[in-house]
Amino acid sequence: MDKPAHRPKRTRIQREKRELIGEAALEVFSQHGFRGSTIDQIADAAGMSKPNLLYYFKNKEEIFATLIHRLMETWLAPLREMDAAGDPHTEIRSYIRRKIEMSRDFPRESRLFANEILQGAPRILPLLEGELKELVDEKTAIIATWMRAGRLKKSDPYHFIFAIWATTQHYADFDVQVRAVLGENRGGEGRFEDAARFLEGLFLA
């Protein structure tokens, strides 16, 4: 059997250019979604010509695929860290904290993911039905075990996870609304700590 062809290693300049394009594309995609974004917009945001951009990526689809796969790795990391051997309250509290930190630190990535889901997930459905589902199945089994042992209040573990997703990601996807409603006194960086404390009490009461 022939050995698979090895991709040539990218130079430092190539890696830097791809990172620059990825950063620009993230800004554009998170604002306009996949359908509403164009290569021209991404090139403008990156400060590059369209032909120069297309030297590093074949098309918009390849840029988006690169971003969304990287995003999924980041997005799933907090759930992967949930440890069956740990104390349930500590593990759930840590998961909530990590999700709130992601909403604080990666709001554009959260909006990019939300836009893709709202469009029916046409480009990431295999990931959702495969890697994401497998991970959630694994972690809900752990949560169900804790619930059966009386270490957490009994509920549906899948909807328990969904509720944490919904409430934590709200602080990224609806940040403008959150800050407007909280006002100047409570709408600063402290809103994330306030949210984390409230959600810990909500889910662990």
Side-chain angles (χ1 to χ4, degrees):
M1 180 182 293
D2 293 336
K3 291 183 179 180
H6 293 286
R7 291 182 179 179
K9 189 174 181 180
R10 294 189 181 107
T11 66
R12 178 181 61 82
I13 296 295
Q14 288 173 324
R15 292 194 299 271
E16 289 175 355
K17 289 292 185 182
R18 286 177 64 90
E19 285 296 320
L20 175 64
I21 293 166
E23 178 68 17
L26 176 58
E27 188 69 29
V28 173
F29 285 136
S30 66
Q31 289 184 38
H32 306 290
F34 179 82
R35 293 177 185 170
S37 302
T38 67
I39 284 288
D40 291 304
Q41 289 173 321
I42 297 169
D44 287 344
M48 301 170 66
S49 68
K50 182 176 178 179
N52 193 12
L53 183 149
L54 292 174
Y55 172 80
Y56 296 99
F57 290 94
K58 293 186 300 184
N59 48 39
K60 182 175 74 170
E61 287 76 9
E62 185 183 359
I63 301 173
F64 188 86
T66 300
L67 280 178
I68 207 72
H69 280 81
R70 185 185 304 171
L71 169 61
M72 288 299 290
E73 290 177 10
T74 303
W75 229 237
L76 295 180
L79 189 55
R80 285 198 178 98
E81 293 178 24
M82 188 181 291
D83 185 0
D87 172 73
H89 281 232
T90 300
E91 293 301 316
I92 297 299
R93 183 176 290 110
S94 295
Y95 182 52
I96 291 167
R97 287 271 169 176
R98 290 193 294 269
K99 290 290 290 177
I100 283 288
E101 288 167 4
M102 289 188 67
S103 287
R104 180 193 65 202
D105 298 338
F106 303 105
R108 295 175 304 169
E109 288 85 346
S110 182
R111 288 191 290 271
L112 173 66
F113 184 75
N115 276 328
E116 175 68 7
I117 296 298
L118 287 171
Q119 292 176 19
R123 286 157 289 273
I124 64 168
L125 191 57
L127 280 172
L128 301 183
E129 294 176 336
E131 184 178 357
L132 176 62
K133 177 171 172 47
E134 289 171 7
L135 180 61
V136 174
D137 286 345
E138 174 191 336
K139 299 306 180 179
T140 52
I142 292 171
I143 293 171
T145 299
W146 289 336
M147 289 176 175
R148 285 194 298 271
R151 303 178 74 189
L152 284 177
K153 183 179 178 180
K154 286 187 177 180
S155 64
D156 185 308
Y158 285 94
H159 291 287
F160 185 79
I161 290 289
F162 295 160
I164 292 176
W165 289 352
T167 50
T168 54
Q169 288 167 217
H170 176 86
Y171 292 93
D173 300 340
F174 292 88
D175 183 56
V176 173
Q177 175 180 274
V178 169
R179 286 186 286 112
V181 172
L182 289 177
E184 292 185 6
N185 292 335
R186 299 191 60 199
E189 284 298 303
R191 68 188 183 280
F192 294 104
E193 176 62 25
D194 292 342
R197 289 178 180 175
F198 171 79
L199 293 175
E200 288 170 5
L202 178 67
F203 288 107
L204 296 173

